[in-house]
Amino acid sequence: MIIAIDGPAASGKGTLARKIAEYLGFFYLDTGSLYRAVARDVLARGFRLDDTWAAVAMARSLDPASLDDQGLREPGVGEAASRIAGIPEVRAALLEYQRLFAKSSPGAVLDGRDIGTVVCPDACAKIFVTATPEERARRRFLERQALNGDVTYEETLVMIRNRDARDAGRDSAPMRRADDADLLDTTEMDIETAFDAAVGLIKRKISQ
Ligand code: CDP
């Protein structure tokens, strides 16, 4: 059984997906960490982010054991990930790993931008998690502050808007709500409320 959770940066989809996986006893994959890891490896080897050959080579040789690296959460890595994620050959190179993971037994929860549309169009439940750009910027800003990040709320909001535009505007697997995905707007919700709402949506889909 596959649960697909998509949505924009800082919408809360990662926390939500992890909690849902724990609750259901399913395996969990943060697919953003794959793009982040490829970006990290491209940068670490001194290649340019628009070097398709280098990015594809890094994607093909990606070590899943390196996905827990804390460095992947650095703001620069997220930006770089969003750039290389626009390269169709990189997306293709990461597809098989995601689809194999999705077949984990008894089930898998995957979060990202294109899980419900491209990676697992047959997922039994799909949720598109969102929140206003201002609320997402507020959440990301607080996260960064806790890590002593040297960034203002205004800069964070600009970053969120730019990332949304890049992720939704690319030609290859753009961020989009699948036609059969439920929308979960978490702007006014704390994580527990969002979790309860998500579990309700999943149970309804499974019982249909
Ligand atoms: O945590 P946050 O939402 O900021 O980002 P993330 O989920 O770690 O994803 C980083 C970047 O990877 C995104 O901005 C996307 O461009 C890309 N990505 C993607 O293209 N497809 C996915 N399934 C997951 C992430």
Side-chain angles (χ1 to χ4, degrees):
M1 186 180 290
I2 304 168
I3 313 283
I5 312 281
D6 288 303
S11 55
K13 64 185 185 310
T15 312
L16 206 52
R18 186 173 281 110
K19 278 176 78 74
I20 292 167
E22 244 171 60
Y23 174 76
L24 296 172
F26 285 7
F27 291 90
Y28 165 60
L29 180 63
D30 162 10
T31 65
S33 70
L34 302 173
Y35 293 92
R36 286 173 181 264
V38 173
R40 170 202 60 198
D41 294 349
V42 166
L43 293 172
R45 285 170 177 74
F47 293 115
R48 288 164 46 116
L49 288 171
D50 59 1
D51 183 336
T52 299
W53 178 87
V56 171
M58 297 304 123
R60 289 195 179 136
S61 60
L62 193 63
D63 175 9
S66 75
L67 297 178
D68 285 335
D69 172 9
Q70 275 308 307
L72 293 186
R73 299 310 307 171
E74 299 278 333
V77 178
E79 282 303 301
S82 163
R83 287 175 195 278
I84 60 119
I87 303 174
E89 294 88 341
V90 169
R91 306 198 70 84
L94 295 176
L95 198 54
E96 193 186 330
Y97 178 79
Q98 296 174 78
R99 287 195 172 148
L100 260 178
F101 188 97
K103 288 189 185 141
S104 305
S105 177
V109 180
L110 285 82
D111 83 53
R113 302 291 190 287
D114 61 339
I115 308 304
T117 51
V118 175
V119 180
C120 305
D122 297 331
C124 73
K126 302 179 185 180
I127 303 181
F128 193 85
V129 187
T130 189
T132 60
E134 290 76 13
E135 173 58 16
R136 291 185 284 122
R138 191 188 69 82
R139 293 175 189 170
R140 186 113 313 166
F141 172 62
L142 292 177
E143 267 170 37
R144 295 278 150 77
Q145 261 195 333
L147 296 171
N148 294 325
D150 186 15
V151 67
T152 65
Y153 167 79
E154 286 72 22
E155 287 164 346
T156 312
L157 181 57
V158 169
M159 192 211 74
I160 289 276
R161 287 192 194 282
N162 288 343
R163 186 103 81 83
D164 286 356
R166 198 183 300 128
D167 288 349
R170 68 184 173 220
D171 293 330
S172 181
M175 171 175 70
R176 183 174 75 71
R177 174 186 172 188
D179 296 336
D180 54 350
D182 287 307
L183 183 68
L184 182 61
D185 185 339
T186 68
T187 306
E188 309 270 330
M189 294 181 184
D190 62 17
I191 187 65
E192 288 309 324
T193 313
F195 172 70
D196 290 344
V199 169
L201 292 172
I202 291 168
K203 283 187 174 161
R204 211 187 58 201
K205 269 281 157 65
I206 290 175
S207 67
Q208 269 172 9

